[in-house]
């Protein structure tokens, strides 16, 4: 079951109640969350997040048309799932993961509405090995650049742990 993990506009230090006691569910807040004082989930409480363009990123569409995605695909930090949904609509097997449970819930609702077979789960990109799965293509659209210099090597090692030996990592950095 998917539940919101923090109240609208609620700051880290102002939480009370069972879920709000730990909006991070035991994980260490990322550098971005420490900087903003808000869990990523809060980005999805008041309508679309600024990066959420409501459709797949044009670069993803272009790459896919050139055969850039193959086999099992992981979308790390999938947000509300437009890239994952697009790739799944092409017939690829896709798992989207995100720490923001509200985003995961929205992505699942879109998949159901559109009748697209795709998986979305709430998971931490720093601990992907826990998925117990390997992927042929690993997509990062706008996640890597949110991490600071200490986090990036940990994230890359986590990605490597779920990427097949001949797998293909694809990273889109927003400017
Ligand atoms: C800039 S958004 C990009 C969302 C989506 N990939 C897109 O292209 O629209 C970054 C996403 O990464 C997620 N995220 C941040 N830290 C994460 C982590 N440690 N594990 C999984 N997802 C994370 C955020 O919740 C957010 O949905």
């Amino acid at each position: 079951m998917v539940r919101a993990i923090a109240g609208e506009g609620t700051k880290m230090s102002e939480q009370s109640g069972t879920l709000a006691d730990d909006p991070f569910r035991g994980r260490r807040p990322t550098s971005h969350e420490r900087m903003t004082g808000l869990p990523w989930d809060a980005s999805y409480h008041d309508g679309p997040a600024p990066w959420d363009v409501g459709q797949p990123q044009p670069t993803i569409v272009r790459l896919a048309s050139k055969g850039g995605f193959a086999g099992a695909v992981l979308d790390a930090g999938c947000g509300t799932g437009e890239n994952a949904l697009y790739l799944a609509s092409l017939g690829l097997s896709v798992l989207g993961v995100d720490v923001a449970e509200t985003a995961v819930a929205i992505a699942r609702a879109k998949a159901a509405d559109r009748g697209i077979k795709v998986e979305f789960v709430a998971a931490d990109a720093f601990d992907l090995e826990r998925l117990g799965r390997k992927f042929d293509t690993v997509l990062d659209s706008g996640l890597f650049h949110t991490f600071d210099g200490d986090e990036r090597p940990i994230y890359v090692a986590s990605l490597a742990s779920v990427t097949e030996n001949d797998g293909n990592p694809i990273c889109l950095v927003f400017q």
Side-chain angles (χ1 to χ4, degrees):
M1 188 173 85
V2 176
R3 294 164 291 183
I5 57 174
E8 190 175 299
T10 307
K11 298 237 179 195
M12 279 194 264
S13 55
E14 296 170 354
Q15 308 292 312
S16 65
T18 313
L19 286 175
D21 278 345
D22 182 10
F24 306 100
R25 296 200 179 269
R27 67 180 171 83
R28 183 169 192 261
T30 67
S31 55
H32 183 276
E33 290 170 320
R34 294 195 301 276
M35 182 183 70
T36 61
L38 290 168
W40 274 103
D41 200 73
S43 308
Y44 294 99
H45 292 178
D46 296 319
W51 54 81
D52 194 338
V53 291
Q55 58 184 36
Q57 293 289 336
T59 306
I60 302 288
V61 175
R62 206 163 46 246
L63 266 176
S65 74
K66 295 180 192 301
F69 293 87
V73 179
L74 173 69
D75 182 0
C78 62
T80 66
E82 289 297 340
N83 295 322
L85 286 157
Y86 174 70
L87 296 172
S89 76
L90 301 179
L92 290 155
S93 161
V94 186
L95 171 65
V97 302
D98 203 290
V99 282
E101 297 195 22
T102 301
V104 170
I106 294 169
R108 286 178 176 161
K110 286 184 190 173
D113 282 353
R114 300 178 196 177
I116 297 173
K117 188 169 169 271
V118 55
E119 285 178 276
F120 291 106
V121 300
D124 187 355
F126 290 115
D127 198 11
L128 293 170
E129 203 167 9
R130 287 183 74 169
L131 295 171
R133 290 162 66 168
K134 295 267 189 186
F135 300 88
D136 303 291
T137 310
V138 174
L139 168 65
D140 172 321
S141 170
L143 176 56
F144 177 82
H145 79 155
T146 72
F147 295 141
D148 69 14
D150 292 335
E151 291 169 322
R152 289 179 178 182
I154 301 167
Y155 173 53
V156 169
S158 176
L159 280 183
S161 75
V162 293
T163 308
E164 295 286 5
N165 283 340
D166 56 353
N168 188 22
I170 296 172
C171 183
L172 262 62
V173 179
F174 297 159
Q175 304 212 3

